């Protein structure tokens, strides 16, 4: 069982993830990624999928051609947890 | 330039795609796919991505763990075209 982040920890974590936005309604973080084309976008998604599967923590995401929208939250915690912060860091590190 | 399907052709085409629903607002077709887990879902997405890239016709799609939602429409035609029907058939053939 993983705990939902307190307000203080969430703010601290998000300060270190300037490209991610907090979705208050879902208690989630989101980021849009734009690539040159579909090939680049889906290549990125494949790398994220491998990380997600290994961590057993999966994004909610969508793709339209060169754009990928990712939302991270932890269903077991009913909101944002350290697992989402770690996943966001791992995704950012791909770029 | 590919033409938007007439109402008659659209109805005829959709009759042959019983698992797809027409989204009148977008003039698009949509289908939800459910798999055992993320591994199966993303494996399916990868196969669809290869077909889409080869056809140079890409879906709008989203994934949440074992679920994949696909929407097909043709931006150049401002609605549904034969390219979407062919793509839906090719996707269905993967299952």
């Amino acid at each position: 069982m993983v705990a939902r982040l307190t307000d203080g920890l969430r703010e601290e974590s998000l300060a270190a993830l300037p490209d991610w936005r907090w979705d208050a309604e879902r208690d989630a973080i989101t980021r849009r990624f734009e690539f040159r084309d579909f090939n680049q976008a889906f290549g990125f998604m494949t790398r994220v999928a491998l990380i997600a599967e290994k961590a057993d923590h999966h994004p909610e995401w969508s793709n339209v051609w060169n754009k990928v929208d990712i939302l991270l939250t932890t269903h077991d915690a009913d909101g944002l947890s350290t697992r989402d912060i770690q996943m966001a860091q791992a995704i950012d590190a791909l770029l």
Side-chain angles (χ1 to χ4, degrees), chain A residues 2 9 17 33 38 63 76 82 84 86 95:
Chain A
V2 59
L9 273 177
L17 292 170
F33 299 85
F38 178 78
N63 160 244
D76 286 351
T82 52
D84 303 303
Q86 288 161 0
L95 302 175

Side-chain angles (χ1 to χ4, degrees), chain A residues 29-67:
Chain A
I29 50 175
T30 63
R31 183 175 173 186
R32 166 163 289 187
F33 299 85
E34 285 200 43
F35 299 91
R36 199 173 56 226
D37 53 25
F38 178 78
N39 179 305
Q40 297 287 314
F42 197 77
F44 167 74
M45 290 179 75
T46 303
R47 299 188 72 192
V48 172
L50 295 175
I51 291 173
E53 189 69 352
K54 191 168 183 178
D56 196 19
H57 190 56
H58 302 89
E60 298 183 22
W61 53 352
S62 61
N63 160 244
V64 180
W65 198 55
N66 70 328
K67 294 185 184 67

